[in-house]
Amino acid sequence: MPENAAPLDLTATATDLTVQLVDIESVSRGEQAIADAVQSALEPLAHLTVSRHGNTVVARTDLGRGERVVIAGHLDTVPLNDNLPARRDGDLIHGLGTCDMKGGDAVILRLAATVPEPVRDVTYVLYEAEEIDSEFNGLNLLSQSHPELLAGDFAILMEPSNAAVEAGCQGTLRVDVRTTGERSHSARSWRGVNAIHGAAEVLARLNAYEARRPVIDGLEYHEGLNAVFIRGGVAGNVIPDECVVEVNFRFAPDRSEDEAAAYVREFFDGFDVRVTDSAPGALPGLDRPAAKAFVEAVGGEVAPKFGWTDVARFTALGIPAVNYGPGDPMLAHKQEEFVPVEHIERCERQLRTWLTS
Amino acid sequence: MPENAAPLDLTATATDLTVQLVDIESVSRGEQAIADAVQSALEPLAHLTVSRHGNTVVARTDLGRGERVVIAGHLDTVPLNDNLPARRDGDLIHGLGTCDMKGGDAVILRLAATVPEPVRDVTYVLYEAEEIDSEFNGLNLLSQSHPELLAGDFAILMEPSNAAVEAGCQGTLRVDVRTTGERSHSARSWRGVNAIHGAAEVLARLNAYEARRPVIDGLEYHEGLNAVFIRGGVAGNVIPDECVVEVNFRFAPDRSEDEAAAYVREFFDGFDVRVTDSAPGALPGLDRPAAKAFVEAVGGEVAPKFGWTDVARFTALGIPAVNYGPGDPMLAHKQEEFVPVEHIERCERQLRTWLTS
């Protein structure tokens, strides 16, 4: 057992456990204390096999069930913003990480501690560095170093989704659309070619864009194509010879990354388009038995996930996955983030039902 | 006489004097050595009254002539760019400041030293800090502290103009054209309003702009309206709520600054337009007797000046002024700037003729 780990009390309610977790500061790249605490709390539980990978902790039941599910949550938060320690105010818990996503982590720990004989084998994953570059992402690292630990029939990522199921996720692609020109002094502008003026057509096409809204497994996704940055200019008296429009394409999970890139290239046909970043979407996968049973257990309501989340990492491993966790995703990364106690309790209750009946 | 001044030899040719001046480094705000040298060289000349103002040197004849002309040049250069010392290569002198504008300064010093009894009284002005913010500009400071020293019937600014007369100058106005929107996560872009997309119309209008080319005193000016910078964007996953297009309007001298601003506001009607910087143009003023005589003396060829120069400061004082100096203005501020010896010799010869006959 690691030294100096803040003790976690897994006999407390998930709500109290949320407060305990929030009060262990764990900004990305600073997750050692919280990972130590999680590992120390889980290791004494005889029905679990616990392993540690960096600051990622994995705990598995091994009951030989016909099905295995993965339930995952990240331990890190975005940087402090004068919003610690946790503060309970009636039915809400306020503070850094309450919504994104220590409420979900608390539910995971409660289930791990109190459901010794689930009807489905469970792999609990509490991982590091979700909020930063994917090279540090614990789920990503684990999928490379120990993919067998993530194997399963279905995965639940406890990202905030208002305690409802948000299935799959949209992909995201970033491109630089570049126009070029020729510099000249702005007092003799007719001798140059203005690259910023040349970007007018790029923006005009974006204005004319009509979003596709495909229905997949009964869920309506909603694509989006947007300039997120624009930059150009050399000096106040120089006709600029380059302008770059950075465009973000959010695409439904029925397109691959390559298809998304091809779409954007064709959309900006005639312009210099360079892909700078890309992440695939995730299909909802609601036709799988484990997924169907889960959706039934939580009441049958499913919405599409528009934002990109780590569910796509499970999809890449061939495992259908959904987002399902306490908290409003619109509050993630906001100073005033909070999580409703009712969300925590509902998630715990519904997951317990699904794992025990 | 100041200490440590590098000595200037005013008996040398203007070409040799150009080399001497170039070899005294004088990047803006570092003109003390060159101003000391100029002051020390001029003070012994009995026919001149020399005064010093910061690093600006003024030398005047006082012969009671019916007309007084001002001949001015700045002593500073843009920053070093591995282009010192001066290098003579056949009929060209290469190096920082050769073109902009120590060739012109050398002509001024030769005339000051060798024309003791000009037919017009002359005020020679060698001033500091033309290449930087106008708050440091020696001509600007002198026009505020000692406007009487700049009084005259006509002024010649020895800015590079290929040893030909470029009359007046165009004004310059800078505005920020701002579009606003509403932030949202780019995964749910339909909840926001994209300010960069909103700038499409700003750029479309710029593309549709047709330049006015008014003829003033027989000279065809050429206006220009151009985006010189564009910026917008919050983060790679956020719909941006602001985009700023910085536009530079170069306007013919028949418009005032206010008229130029009104034109740009109307051009971008419906957008948030803020004037950030403005400098008036200068009318050619070729109808004045001193100007007419000068143009005749140099052969009658006159072109319009498109760029903004300090001639506008003379115009603001009610003094008609022209640009006339050795060197190609297109080479100003370039690493490879040079001045043709023939330009220096021609300017000296023509001015000498005008001042002595």
Side-chain angles (χ1 to χ4, degrees):
Chain A
M1 173 176 158
E3 303 287 331
N4 302 322
L8 285 173
D9 176 9
L10 299 193
T11 68
T13 64
T15 301
D16 288 342
L17 204 44
T18 299
V19 171
Q20 292 177 47
L21 289 167
V22 169
D23 287 346
I24 305 174
E25 190 182 313
S26 60
V27 176
S28 308
R29 309 290 281 154
E31 302 96 333
Q32 181 164 354
I34 199 167
D36 287 353
V38 165
Q39 183 182 0
S40 302
L42 293 175
E43 272 178 342
L45 302 171
H47 62 281
L48 295 174
T49 306
V50 176
S51 60
R52 170 87 174 242
H53 315 268
N55 287 324
T56 294
V57 180
V58 179
R60 300 159 52 92
T61 65
D62 243 319
L63 301 162
R65 305 299 194 209
E67 229 175 39
R68 175 175 291 278
V69 296
V70 182
I71 305 180
H74 62 82
L75 293 169
D76 63 319
T77 70
V78 294
L80 274 162
N81 193 2
D82 197 23
N83 48 4
L84 279 187
R87 179 173 55 84
R88 187 159 175 172
D89 177 14
D91 294 334
L92 306 177
I93 307 172
H94 299 264
L96 178 64
T98 47
C99 165
D100 187 15
M101 55 176 284
K102 291 182 175 177
D105 295 334
V107 171
I108 291 174
L109 290 174
R110 275 296 288 170
L111 294 170
T114 60
V115 185
E117 296 199 339
V119 297
R120 303 167 163 86
D121 268 315
V122 187
T123 304
Y124 301 102
V125 181
L126 292 141
Y127 64 101
E128 63 184 324
E130 189 269 350
E131 299 290 6
I132 54 173
D133 225 67
S134 69
E135 67 173 303
F136 303 110
N137 183 301
L139 199 64
N140 184 33
L141 295 175
L142 202 62
S143 74
Q144 288 168 19
S145 65
H146 297 82
E148 73 283 1
L149 285 180
L150 293 178
D153 301 287
F154 181 57
I156 297 167
L157 189 64
M158 296 203 70
E159 283 281 351
S161 57
N162 286 310
V165 179
E166 294 188 347
C169 77
Q170 298 201 125
T172 178
L173 180 84
R174 231 172 285 282
V175 299
D176 283 348
V177 184
R178 197 176 309 263
T179 57
T180 52
E182 204 178 318
R183 290 190 196 185
S184 74
H185 196 289
S186 67
R188 297 179 197 83
S189 51
W190 55 92
R191 296 199 185 175
V193 178
N194 194 317
I196 294 176
H197 296 191
E201 170 68 11
V202 175
L203 301 187
R205 288 195 201 173
L206 285 168
N207 273 322
Y209 169 77
E210 289 188 21
R212 197 175 66 105
R213 300 168 72 157
V215 175
I216 306 168
D217 285 6
L219 303 176
E220 188 185 71
Y221 288 87
H222 193 152
E223 297 188 329
L225 187 67
N226 275 277
V228 288
F229 283 105
I230 190 166
R231 59 181 180 277
V234 175
N237 60 357
V238 174
I239 300 304
D241 57 352
E242 182 176 274
C243 181
V244 177
V245 186
E246 190 176 322
V247 174
N248 184 207
F249 182 37
R250 298 288 178 148
F251 56 96
D254 60 345
R255 294 193 204 259
S256 69
E257 287 172 273
D258 283 349
E259 288 165 349
Y263 172 80
V264 172
R265 283 185 199 288
E266 192 184 321
F267 188 87
F268 291 113
D269 187 37
F271 289 96
D272 173 8
V273 176
R274 297 180 205 178
V275 174
T276 58
D277 189 28
S278 169
L283 285 162
L286 296 177
D287 51 341
R288 304 278 188 103
K292 276 189 184 162
F294 174 71
V295 169
E296 261 167 46
V298 301
E301 287 291 317
V302 183
K305 186 72 173 178
F306 297 120
W308 191 92
T309 75
D310 272 341
V311 295
R313 301 195 193 279
F314 289 107
T315 303
L317 294 170
I319 307 167
V322 298
N323 303 276
Y324 169 76
D328 181 345
M330 301 302 284
L331 290 172
H333 305 188
K334 300 227 165 148
Q335 188 191 25
E336 67 273 20
E337 70 170 299
F338 61 82
V339 64
V341 168
E342 188 274 324
H343 282 192
I344 297 172
E345 291 174 346
R346 177 149 43 110
C347 283
E348 183 185 350
R349 189 173 62 245
Q350 292 182 328
L351 282 169
R352 185 182 303 279
T353 301
W354 181 59
L355 290 177
T356 55
S357 58
Chain B
M1 171 174 159
E3 302 288 330
N4 302 320
L8 285 173
D9 176 9
L10 298 193
T11 68
T13 64
T15 301
D16 288 342
L17 203 46
T18 299
V19 171
Q20 293 178 45
L21 288 168
V22 169
D23 287 346
I24 304 174
E25 191 183 313
S26 60
V27 176
S28 308
R29 309 290 280 152
E31 300 97 333
Q32 180 163 354
I34 199 167
D36 286 353
V38 165
Q39 182 182 359
S40 301
L42 293 175
E43 274 179 342
L45 301 171
H47 62 282
L48 295 175
T49 306
V50 177
S51 59
R52 171 87 174 241
H53 315 267
N55 287 323
T56 294
V57 179
V58 179
R60 300 159 52 93
T61 64
D62 244 318
L63 301 161
R65 305 299 193 209
E67 227 175 39
R68 173 175 291 280
V69 296
V70 182
I71 305 180
H74 63 80
L75 292 170
D76 63 320
T77 70
V78 294
L80 274 162
N81 192 3
D82 197 23
N83 49 4
L84 279 186
R87 179 172 57 83
R88 186 158 175 173
D89 177 14
D91 293 334
L92 306 177
I93 307 172
H94 298 266
L96 177 63
T98 47
C99 166
D100 188 13
M101 55 177 285
K102 291 181 175 177
D105 294 335
V107 170
I108 290 174
L109 290 174
R110 275 296 287 170
L111 294 171
T114 60
V115 184
E117 296 200 340
V119 296
R120 305 168 162 85
D121 267 316
V122 187
T123 304
Y124 301 102
V125 181
L126 291 141
Y127 64 100
E128 64 184 323
E130 189 269 349
E131 298 291 5
I132 56 172
D133 225 68
S134 70
E135 67 173 303
F136 303 110
N137 184 301
L139 198 63
N140 184 33
L141 295 175
L142 201 62
S143 74
Q144 289 167 19
S145 65
H146 297 82
E148 73 283 1
L149 284 180
L150 293 178
D153 300 285
F154 181 57
I156 297 168
L157 190 65
M158 296 204 69
E159 283 280 350
S161 56
N162 285 309
V165 179
E166 294 187 349
C169 77
Q170 297 201 126
T172 178
L173 180 83
R174 230 173 286 281
V175 299
D176 283 348
V177 184
R178 195 176 309 261
T179 58
T180 53
E182 202 177 318
R183 289 190 196 185
S184 74
H185 196 288
S186 67
R188 296 179 199 82
S189 51
W190 54 93
R191 296 200 186 173
V193 177
N194 194 317
I196 293 176
H197 297 192
E201 169 68 11
V202 175
L203 301 187
R205 288 193 200 175
L206 285 168
N207 273 321
Y209 169 76
E210 290 187 21
R212 196 175 66 105
R213 299 167 74 156
V215 175
I216 305 169
D217 284 6
L219 304 176
E220 188 184 70
Y221 288 87
H222 193 152
E223 297 187 329
L225 187 67
N226 275 276
V228 288
F229 283 106
I230 189 166
R231 61 181 178 277
V234 175
N237 60 356
V238 174
I239 300 306
D241 57 351
E242 183 176 272
C243 182
V244 177
V245 186
E246 191 176 322
V247 173
N248 184 208
F249 182 37
R250 297 290 178 145
F251 55 96
D254 59 345
R255 292 192 205 261
S256 69
E257 288 172 272
D258 284 348
E259 287 164 350
Y263 173 81
V264 173
R265 284 185 198 286
E266 193 184 322
F267 188 86
F268 292 114
D269 187 38
F271 289 96
D272 173 9
V273 175
R274 298 180 204 178
V275 174
T276 59
D277 190 28
S278 169
L283 285 163
L286 297 177
D287 50 341
R288 304 278 189 104
K292 275 189 185 164
F294 174 70
V295 170
E296 259 168 47
V298 301
E301 286 291 314
V302 183
K305 185 73 173 176
F306 297 120
W308 192 91
T309 75
D310 272 341
V311 294
R313 300 194 195 280
F314 289 106
T315 303
L317 294 170
I319 306 167
V322 298
N323 304 276
Y324 170 77
D328 181 344
M330 302 301 284
L331 290 172
H333 305 189
K334 300 227 164 146
Q335 188 191 24
E336 67 273 21
E337 70 171 297
F338 62 81
V339 65
V341 168
E342 188 273 323
H343 282 194
I344 296 172
E345 291 175 346
R346 176 148 43 109
C347 283
E348 183 186 349
R349 189 174 62 246
Q350 292 183 329
L351 282 169
R352 185 182 302 280
T353 301
W354 180 60
L355 290 177
T356 55
S357 59

